[in-house]
Amino acid sequence: MRFVILCLLAVLSFSPLRAETAAEILAANAALVEKASRQTIAPVIDALGASGDPQAAAVLTAWGEKGLGIRKSDRAFFLITPQEGGYALRDLSGAEAGTAAKSDIIELKPNAGVRGMIATALVQFTLSDPDPAKRLAALESIAKDPKVEALAPLRAAIASEEDAGLKAQKERLERLLTLRFDPDSAARIAAIDSFGADLGLDLRGALNPLLATRRLAVAGEPDPTLNIARTLKLGTDLTPVEAYDILVAADMAPARLTLEAQRMALIANLGNGMVGGVALADLNSQAARDRAYTALEVAGIVPQAATDDEATAALAAHRFVEVYTEPDPAVTAAAAAALDRIGVKVAGMQAADLALDALSLASIYFLAAIGLAITFGVMGVINMAHGEFITIGAYTGYVVQLYVADYTASILIALPLAFVVTFAAGVAMERLVIRHLYKRPLETLLATFGISIALQQVLKNVFGTQARPLTSPGWLDGAWVLNDVVSISYIRIAIFVLALVFLTFFLWLMKRTRLGLEVRAVTQNPTMAASMGINPDRINMLTFGIGSGIAGIAGVAIGLFAKVTSELGTDYIVQSFMTVVVGGVGNIWGTLAGATMIGGLQKVIEFLNPSNTLAAQTYMILFIILFIQFRPRGIIALRGRAAGD
């Protein structure tokens, strides 16, 4: 029997004690809850958070929202909802409990400090809420306003997280909070090193405060407990005025004496031809006036203030240092090393992003110039109205979208239709004007320039001066984001693909078709081509029409990201001519090389001088002028008989 009793006592001694419920915790601490303050209420809130009682979250939420009250008659806690004449009551489980007059209820109104502590305690409940959306919202809330109080609940919520994506976010946020708030330096350094060269903005936002500094003045040797970033040199790192302001702010020196204040003090204390023991006749130098004021200071007649010589002496007696706000040198060293790693990777990513931007711009210039490469590069016709064909193509896309609501279908219709419209316009222009001006480049330039102005006015009359929308399909919205540094819009990618398509089309047309063979024959020797049965007049017409048609397609593509106005083409005509001339007249590969060179050069100049795009354009044109001086035939020059024409 005795043995059985001992066994029962042993079992009971090892049985876990029942955790207190939220109601029991509130009842036991009613006085503290009623007069809650930030200094006294923390144990009660912590107990509610650690209770494991499902009602604790509802109680804390109601308390923070002024929805918790105490009935005066029996000191019982209720969830309260204001209504006419009093309150509707619910017990802590949420069950209806009748009503009460306002005079019977003590409404708990926590101040901002207590509400902040309640919100922190609620984090652990929200982080483990069954609703993934609420857990995500809790993570986002912590990330926006990281605090040391969120670290423990976040760690507790990781193990029970079943969603792989949310768990990864919790683990990342836990490491970000650890590197900032964990009391263990080794844990903070391990958290910093765990990110490697991660490019996340959240990581950089967590590391940068660890390297924040403040300026201090020290007399003699600095306190060895200070985490000194560097020693400041007067005249190099800070001016004497800035240094003395640091002394004044730290109450290590009196405020500097202004000349006006000194003069007024000396006048006020002048008597018997003397002031501060200095004769009035001797106050003709700043040094004498400083001696007089110092004597008045010693006598307690005037307030303490530093004269120039005293300020100089005070600066000489102090050292100035820049100190990390983070006291642990090992943590700041790890943070600095991590930011250096990130900096190297960011520089590489910025170079990659710049290269993508340059490639994107080059594809736009190539697409705009490929039609000109045919009319100017192959036919030798200086067509100043080429930009207007680009504009006509963009307006064609706009008109199609007025009648076809589906943006994908409208673009698929607009691309071939723009080719047809601008092909017809190009053929009409060649038949009516250009054919009469072959071998007369200056007159061709003037005539096409006039046509350009006329077409702009016609477009203004038809479509107005307001920019018209050419909307891209939904699947072209957004950007391809590789990381926080490198991204490129889907529209730019589509234009790049379109440029490759037309490069392939042009090569096929010129190398694999009868028309291409005839074009090359007419380009090299029109007389010989005519003797072989080729009609040069017809070939010139078709070539000019094809070049104009491709410009129309380019207009549709460019209109997807640029404003469609009557001046759209003028933004690209200069770059198109430069692309053809720099690349090498009459060579499609030269046009591609020219577009790549001009696009890359423009982006590099804009990167080096981002605040002045006009200067970037100017520098680019100057560079191209110099380039042509050394390589007048372009990057890829024609060879053979065509080169001599």
Side-chain angles (χ1 to χ4, degrees), residues 42-290:
V44 179
I45 294 176
D46 291 342
L48 286 169
S51 67
D53 186 350
Q55 296 177 7
V59 168
L60 287 169
T61 302
W63 188 6
E65 296 174 353
K66 301 179 184 179
L68 186 66
I70 303 175
R71 189 161 59 191
K72 294 179 181 179
S73 59
D74 57 2
R75 305 292 293 174
F77 284 83
F78 291 94
L79 305 178
I80 60 175
T81 303
Q83 65 178 24
E84 187 176 353
Y87 297 98
L89 305 182
R90 289 176 293 130
D91 63 24
L92 299 186
S93 66
E96 298 291 338
T99 61
K102 282 190 177 182
S103 58
D104 295 337
I105 298 294
I106 301 172
E107 182 182 358
L108 301 179
K109 298 179 179 180
N111 59 30
V114 175
R115 287 200 304 273
M117 297 174 71
I118 292 172
T120 300
L122 279 169
V123 166
Q124 61 181 302
F125 294 101
T126 314
L127 286 172
S128 302
D129 193 280
D131 186 355
K134 291 184 178 179
R135 300 202 298 274
L136 178 60
L139 288 175
E140 292 173 346
S141 176
I142 296 172
K144 287 178 182 177
D145 187 19
K147 293 179 181 177
V148 63
E149 294 85 0
L151 184 55
L154 182 59
R155 284 174 173 167
I158 291 175
S160 60
E161 181 57 63
E162 297 178 353
D163 186 296
L166 286 176
K167 187 170 186 176
Q169 290 187 51
K170 286 183 178 180
E171 290 172 344
R172 180 181 180 85
L173 187 55
E174 185 272 333
R175 287 185 291 152
L176 290 172
L177 295 183
T178 297
L179 69 87
R180 289 186 61 179
F181 302 121
D182 197 292
D184 183 4
S185 294
R188 298 176 70 188
I189 294 169
I192 292 171
D193 293 339
S194 70
F195 284 100
D198 191 302
L199 294 180
L201 293 175
D202 55 351
L203 174 60
R204 280 176 273 174
L207 289 174
N208 283 319
L210 300 181
L211 299 180
T213 58
R214 67 185 191 278
R215 291 177 171 181
L216 293 179
V218 293
E221 289 299 318
D223 185 345
T225 61
L226 291 176
N227 186 6
I228 297 176
R230 61 177 180 141
T231 300
L232 301 173
K233 293 182 180 179
L234 279 176
T236 303
D237 298 316
L238 73 170
T239 65
V241 173
E242 292 172 334
Y244 196 79
D245 288 342
I246 294 174
L247 292 176
V248 173
D251 291 329
M252 301 174 72
R256 187 182 288 272
L257 177 66
T258 65
L259 294 178
E260 180 63 20
Q262 184 186 53
R263 187 178 72 84
M264 296 301 294
L266 294 178
I267 291 173
N269 291 280
L270 179 64
N272 299 323
M274 303 281 289
V275 57
V278 180
L280 181 62
D282 295 332
L283 292 175
N284 57 356
S285 68
Q286 185 60 44
R289 293 191 288 273
D290 288 347

Side-chain angles (χ1 to χ4, degrees), residues 366 369 372-374 376-378 506 576-595 597-598 627-628 631-639 642-643:
F366 177 73
L372 197 64
I374 298 173
F376 177 54
V378 176
F506 184 84
S576 297
F577 271 109
M578 286 193 300
T579 297
V580 175
V581 172
V582 168
V585 175
N587 192 311
I588 190 62
W589 294 111
T591 304
L592 180 62
M597 176 179 160
I598 292 174
F627 176 83
I628 292 174
R631 199 170 179 84
R633 291 184 178 275
I635 298 173
I636 303 177
L638 283 176
R639 295 181 181 180

Side-chain angles (χ1 to χ4, degrees), residues 373-601:
I374 298 173
T375 57
F376 177 54
V378 176
M379 298 177 62
V381 174
I382 303 175
N383 180 17
M384 295 300 295
H386 180 78
E388 279 54 57
F389 290 133
I390 293 175
T391 307
I392 291 171
Y395 273 121
T396 301
Y398 163 69
V399 171
V400 170
Q401 287 194 342
L402 293 178
Y403 297 97
V404 181
D406 185 275
Y407 292 138
T408 300
S410 66
I411 294 300
L412 293 177
I413 295 170
L415 287 171
L417 185 60
F419 180 87
V420 171
V421 171
T422 50
F423 176 88
V427 167
M429 181 174 166
E430 196 277 339
R431 290 288 87 187
L432 296 174
V433 180
I434 302 299
R435 64 180 296 192
H436 304 294
L437 301 175
Y438 286 125
K439 304 299 183 182
R440 294 151 69 184
L442 182 59
E443 294 179 26
T444 305
L445 185 149
L446 293 173
T448 55
F449 183 68
I451 293 171
S452 167
I453 296 173
L455 287 175
Q456 284 188 39
Q457 189 58 51
V458 169
L459 292 172
K460 284 180 182 177
N461 292 340
V462 174
F463 297 101
T465 56
Q466 262 189 329
R468 301 297 179 179
L470 182 54
T471 308
S472 61
W475 49 272
L476 286 180
D477 291 342
W480 180 35
V481 179
L482 296 178
N483 50 49
D484 287 340
V485 179
V486 183
S487 65
I488 183 170
S489 68
Y490 291 127
I491 290 179
R492 296 295 184 98
I493 295 173
I495 291 175
F496 176 74
V497 172
L498 191 61
L500 290 180
V501 168
F502 274 99
L503 173 62
T504 305
F505 167 76
F506 184 84
L507 292 174
W508 171 81
L509 179 70
M510 298 301 289
K511 302 291 185 182
R512 300 293 181 185
T513 67
R514 179 179 179 84
L515 177 61
L517 179 64
E518 292 177 346
V519 168
R520 285 184 287 141
V522 171
T523 300
Q524 292 190 19
N525 194 324
T527 305
M528 182 63 73
S531 69
M532 299 297 293
I534 298 172
N535 185 346
D537 197 42
R538 172 179 165 274
I539 295 301
N540 286 334
M541 178 189 70
L542 292 175
T543 303
F544 197 88
I546 291 172
S548 303
I550 293 176
I553 292 178
V556 176
I558 293 171
L560 292 176
F561 67 89
K563 293 185 296 183
V564 180
T565 66
S566 58
E567 288 86 15
L568 172 65
T570 60
D571 296 335
Y572 293 92
I573 185 64
V574 174
Q575 285 88 345
S576 297
F577 271 109
M578 286 193 300
T579 297
V580 175
V581 172
V582 168
V585 175
N587 192 311
I588 190 62
W589 294 111
T591 304
L592 180 62
T596 303
M597 176 179 160
I598 292 174
L601 180 63

Side-chain angles (χ1 to χ4, degrees), residues 619-632:
Y619 295 145
M620 183 179 69
I621 292 173
L622 289 175
F623 177 84
I624 289 170
I625 291 172
L626 291 174
F627 176 83
I628 292 174
Q629 296 301 312
F630 291 99
R631 199 170 179 84

